[in-house]
Amino acid sequence: MIKHFLSQQFALFLLTGGIAAAVNFGSRIIYSQRFDFSVAVVLAYCTGMLVAFVLAKLFVFKRTINSAAQSVAAFVFVNVLGAAQTWLISILLAFYVLPALNFTWRLEEVAHFFGVLFPVFTSYLGHKHWSFR
């Protein structure tokens, strides 16, 4: 299992995923100007997911036996699971964990940052073995 995470492919996934995560994180700040935090996290995840698909297809998982439609469907499914993880971690941190620790500095940004990081490993395995197999 560890060999998956010590590969050039995983390094590229981290790089492209980092770009998508930055888009996710930045767009959440913009979405928060119009929507409450919970909705903004979901909208930002969708924005990041679009960027992630394009970058993953172009740079990480270039060869696949899946059709484009299969890849998109599987990618969305894996990312729905990742979105649920991101949302759950972000909400738990923002409304329960960090306030219980008296942490108030940039509460939503810190909570969302850790929420975005959480599904990195599960998403890579899902995309490698299902979305772009």
Side-chain angles (χ1 to χ4, degrees):
M1 175 72 80
I2 197 143
K3 69 178 171 120
H4 293 293
F5 303 115
L6 298 176
S7 65
Q8 179 180 5
Q9 187 179 48
F10 184 65
L12 285 170
F13 180 80
L14 288 176
L15 178 64
T16 60
I19 293 167
V23 168
N24 180 335
F25 188 79
S27 67
R28 201 278 311 153
I29 293 168
I30 295 167
Y31 289 132
S32 285
Q33 294 176 8
R34 291 243 185 221
F35 302 98
D36 71 37
F37 180 67
S38 181
V39 172
V41 167
V42 174
L43 292 174
Y45 196 92
C46 292
T47 304
M49 184 173 63
L50 177 62
V51 171
F53 180 81
V54 171
L55 294 177
K57 184 74 174 150
L58 290 175
F59 300 109
V60 182
F61 304 107
K62 296 176 188 176
R63 295 185 187 120
T64 178
I65 62 171
N66 289 351
S67 68
Q70 289 171 319
S71 289
V72 168
F75 192 88
V76 169
F77 180 75
V78 168
N79 277 284
V80 165
L81 296 176
Q85 291 173 332
T86 296
W87 181 84
L88 182 63
I89 295 300
S90 296
I91 296 303
L92 286 173
L93 287 172
F95 295 112
Y96 301 100
V97 176
L98 296 176
L101 298 171
N102 292 319
F103 186 92
T104 58
W105 180 79
R106 299 273 191 201
L107 181 67
E108 291 181 349
E109 286 77 11
V110 171
H112 187 222
F113 176 79
F114 285 104
V116 168
L117 287 180
F118 189 81
V120 168
F121 298 101
T122 56
S123 293
Y124 174 72
L125 292 174
H127 296 318
K128 179 177 179 64
H129 296 294
W130 197 31
S131 304
F132 299 106
R133 68 180 174 104

